[in-house]
Amino acid sequence: MRRKLAAGNWKMNGTGASLAELQALARAHPAPECDILICPPAPLIHRAAQAAQGTALTIGGQDCHAETSGAHTGDVSAEMLLDAGARHVILGHSERRADHGETSETVRAKARTAMQAGLSAIVCLGETLAQREAANTLDIIGGQLSESVPDLATGENLVIAYEPIWAIGTGRVPSPEQIGEVHGFLRARLEARFGAGVGRSVRLLYGGSVKGDNAAEIFAVPNVDGALVGGASLTAADFSPIVAALNASA
């Protein structure tokens, strides 16, 4: 049985003072029926992991390099994330693909390195509005899935996050039918590639303008195993209702 996952991506937000939100979130959900993950900026990971000790929260990173070490000024390796206390890492987010020119092949290399280091890779996929309107969504998502996920993926080291680019931070949300179509397609593709055991054990998250008032409807969609949440994860007050909705669906 797949355990649901509420993942928060703080993006380039937060300072040490923000860690109080972790403590508030942990107090609100001392024994949740789902997993709760917060991915703060790299400088906060170690302190966040310390703050999360003894709670139901786990900590992750927002990116890692495809190499294990070397002359890559400003980059962070998977082993560094693990050493700092991270257990997951977000890879291939649309903002990384757009702002840093990351290709699916780059994401695949990063995911392989992350998995080999012992991290769970949250691989992000998503189409633009133009691609959605051209009815190319499944072609785009299918290509990203096959090219971004390495062969050593399992249900323990891989999470897939479907984030339609046109829904991130815009307040626009696909219909339950649209989300269900993509998640059903992803499940079928994973089962075809990795077999039923692995394919059915990989958690599929939805991301893009998830809020407390729409979370329950999203989590009722088949094959939605949780959410990757951006802005609404920055405070316990905003993220807690999403966690509560996921708990109720577990």
Side-chain angles (χ1 to χ4, degrees):
M1 179 105 181
R2 298 185 301 272
R3 185 170 169 88
K4 306 263 178 112
L5 173 62
N9 176 14
W10 280 12
K11 306 188 181 185
M12 198 174 71
N13 297 290
T15 62
S18 306
L19 298 178
E21 298 296 335
L22 299 184
Q23 297 162 350
L25 184 64
R27 287 194 298 269
H29 302 281
E33 296 296 324
C34 66
D35 293 335
I36 305 174
L37 169 69
I38 297 294
C39 298
L44 293 180
I45 290 175
H46 180 62
R47 282 183 287 172
Q50 290 180 317
Q53 285 185 350
T55 75
L57 276 58
T58 54
I59 302 301
Q62 297 177 17
D63 184 47
C64 71
H65 200 279
E67 299 294 332
T68 57
S69 62
H72 306 288
T73 301
D75 282 312
V76 176
S77 74
E79 290 184 356
M80 290 173 182
L81 292 179
L82 190 70
D83 183 65
R87 296 296 175 262
H88 298 71
V89 59
I90 299 169
L91 297 171
H93 193 281
S94 61
E95 291 158 4
R96 296 288 310 180
R97 293 178 187 257
D99 296 348
H100 298 269
E102 291 189 0
T103 65
S104 291
E105 290 77 10
T106 301
V107 177
R108 184 188 187 102
K110 289 184 174 187
R112 183 186 301 111
T113 300
M115 291 172 179
Q116 290 172 337
L119 294 172
S120 174
I122 302 176
V123 175
C124 300
L125 317 170
E127 82 281 11
T128 66
L129 182 58
Q131 290 164 341
R132 163 63 67 174
E133 291 178 339
N136 287 335
T137 294
L138 297 185
D139 289 337
I140 297 299
I141 297 301
Q144 291 176 342
L145 180 69
S146 64
E147 294 168 8
S148 300
V149 175
D151 292 335
L152 67 160
T154 68
E156 288 72 42
N157 65 19
L158 175 67
V159 176
I160 297 294
Y162 168 55
E163 291 196 302
I165 298 170
W166 51 273
I168 299 175
T170 65
R172 300 181 61 181
V173 182
S175 69
E177 292 75 20
Q178 289 173 319
I179 296 172
E181 179 187 35
V182 173
H183 279 238
F185 171 80
L186 290 171
R187 181 70 65 206
R189 281 294 183 94
L190 287 167
E191 290 185 22
R193 177 176 173 186
F194 295 106
V198 171
R200 293 173 186 170
S201 63
V202 173
R203 292 184 284 190
L204 304 180
L205 309 184
Y206 169 76
S209 296
V210 180
K211 307 291 183 185
D213 58 3
N214 64 15
E217 181 180 36
I218 293 171
F219 296 150
V221 176
N223 286 306
V224 173
D225 302 312
L228 179 58
V229 181
S233 70
L234 294 174
T235 66
D238 288 336
F239 198 39
S240 187
I242 296 173
V243 174
L246 190 57
N247 266 331
S249 72

